[in-house]
């Protein structure tokens, strides 16, 4: 099953603050999130299937916070943080 990737308003603003290389890394990570979102990130907050998950792309210095919405087959990127 392939998930659709959506971005919250906060994540959309966050992507605008990233460098070109960081944005490329985030877009490259979308394929993995669409294919297997529950295997890459660790639960950051909450419990259950819609818990907030965190995936750190160390090489790009970006943290992706996202929720997997299984019923809608959607991965919602909630927050993107670029690290200097």
């Amino acid at each position: 099953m392939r998930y659709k990737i959506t971005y919250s308003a906060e994540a959309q603003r966050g992507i605008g603050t990233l460098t070109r290389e960081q944005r490329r890394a985030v877009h490259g990570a979308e394929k993995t999130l669409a294919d297997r979102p529950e295997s890459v990130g660790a639960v950051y907050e909450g419990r259950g299937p819609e818990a907030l998950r965190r995936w750190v792309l160390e090489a790009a210095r970006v943290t992706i916070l996202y929720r997997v919405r299984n019923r809608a087959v959607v991965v919602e990127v909630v927050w993107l943080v670029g690290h200097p």
Side-chain angles (χ1 to χ4, degrees):
M1 173 178 7
R2 190 162 174 87
Y3 289 77
K4 177 181 176 184
I5 308 296
T6 64
Y7 287 85
S8 71
E10 289 294 325
Q12 289 175 4
R13 280 190 288 277
I15 205 162
T17 67
L18 301 177
T19 65
R20 185 178 314 157
E21 294 78 21
Q22 289 172 321
R23 283 193 301 272
R24 268 193 225 123
V26 169
H27 290 300
E30 284 182 359
K31 182 179 182 329
T32 302
L33 282 175
D35 291 339
R36 49 187 177 93
E38 294 174 335
S39 66
V40 291
V43 172
Y44 180 69
E45 183 179 286
R47 290 189 206 146
E50 294 191 7
L52 185 64
R53 301 179 73 81
R54 178 175 66 178
W55 184 18
V56 178
L57 306 175
E58 291 182 22
R61 300 180 330 267
V62 175
T63 300
I64 301 173
L65 296 170
Y66 65 97
R67 293 186 194 282
V68 179
R69 305 209 186 272
N70 284 316
R71 289 185 188 164
V73 192
V74 169
V75 173
E76 179 187 20
V77 177
V78 178
W79 198 256
L80 289 168
V81 180
H83 308 282

